[in-house]
Amino acid sequence: MLKRMRGERGFTLVELLVVLAIMAILVAIVVPNLTGLLTGAGQTAMDAEKDSVQVAIDAYNTQDVAVDNAGAISARGTADVIASADADAPFSKYLRETTKYAYTWLAAGDDVTVSAP
């Protein structure tokens, strides 16, 4: 590098630009990978919650409809979050907590679809 005058210490502009260029390249590599991970994690969470809702529907159909002669689950055509004591979702008593995503389903709880609220 250039000879330093009068014992001054520090980095040259070229050295700083090289470091910034390397950091920019690393960021360009890492950011797309992190975005893909976050999207995949959200899909996995949505699938897991859909499975838990389907288990609650199956428990309702097995216990309440088959044994207690309760009414079948009515269809829900518009996506909505399932809350405890939801009139359209009598199976909500089998859920541990209010759902995070919005759901639709056909009559009897068939063909459950999930979407982000």
Side-chain angles (χ1 to χ4, degrees):
M1 292 286 152
L2 297 175
K3 226 178 195 184
R4 308 243 188 247
M5 300 176 76
R6 288 180 275 138
E8 293 179 10
R9 294 185 171 179
F11 297 105
T12 64
L13 182 60
V14 173
E15 291 170 332
L16 292 175
L17 289 176
V18 168
V19 169
L20 287 175
I22 292 171
M23 289 177 62
I25 290 169
L26 290 175
V27 166
I29 292 170
V30 170
V31 168
N33 291 334
L34 289 178
T35 306
L37 287 175
L38 293 176
T39 303
Q43 184 64 42
T44 302
M46 206 181 299
D47 290 343
E49 190 166 327
K50 179 182 177 186
D51 290 343
S52 98
V53 167
Q54 191 64 56
V55 167
I57 290 171
D58 293 342
Y60 177 82
N61 286 334
T62 302
Q63 182 65 34
D64 294 331
V65 175
V67 176
D68 298 337
N69 293 324
I73 300 168
S74 59
R76 177 189 283 182
T78 56
D80 198 8
V81 173
I82 301 169
S84 60
D86 190 339
D88 288 341
F91 57 84
S92 62
K93 67 182 181 181
Y94 292 104
L95 294 172
R96 283 181 260 151
E97 56 189 34
T98 300
T99 58
K100 179 178 176 183
Y101 301 101
Y103 292 87
T104 60
W105 56 82
L106 299 177
D110 297 330
D111 195 25
V112 174
T113 57
V114 61
S115 60

